[in-house]
Amino acid sequence: MKKYVFKENEKLDSLVDYLLSKPNLEAILLNGELGAGKTALTSEIAKKLGEKKQVISPTFNTILVYDKLVHIDAYKLKGDLFAFEDYFEDKLVVIEWAKNIKHNFKRYIEIEVYFDKHQNHVFEIKKEVM
């Protein structure tokens, strides 16, 4: 699968453009190390979608809903996303710590986010279901 490597503070445009080029993409499922860039990626996706509000980590809220994006932190979640599904309509859903939950998305991309030995941010696409 594809792997994107970025230095600290490097623009994530190539990855964001790739993700947003996928027609009818419902969700981006992010897993990986703390501080490796999950929220930074979500913020860049939101900007490309034209989101005017600043995207912040939903750690304390679990879910933050924007005009074109739903951002979920599943770190403390178990089970499925049924309680949140009303917010998904016509929005791209980005889930951090997605391995902690079950989902019903039909079109999604799963990405592992981590640091390499040079402390670069690595975004490795593990699965694409279209």
Side-chain angles (χ1 to χ4, degrees), residues 105-122:
F105 298 111
K106 292 176 182 67
R107 292 177 298 282
Y108 63 91
I109 296 176
E110 195 172 303
I111 303 173
E112 188 73 26
V113 186
Y114 56 92
F115 294 104
D116 67 11
K117 65 182 179 181
H118 304 292
Q119 292 303 299
N120 293 312
H121 299 269
V122 180

Side-chain angles (χ1 to χ4, degrees), residues 38-39 42 55-66 70-76 94-97:
K38 295 181 293 295
T39 301
T42 305
V55 170
I56 59 170
S57 175
T59 300
F60 300 106
N61 304 63
T62 306
I63 183 172
L64 293 172
V65 179
Y66 301 93
V70 174
H71 190 190
I72 296 172
D73 184 316
Y75 187 76
K76 296 179 228 145
V94 180
I95 304 173
E96 297 187 27
W97 308 102

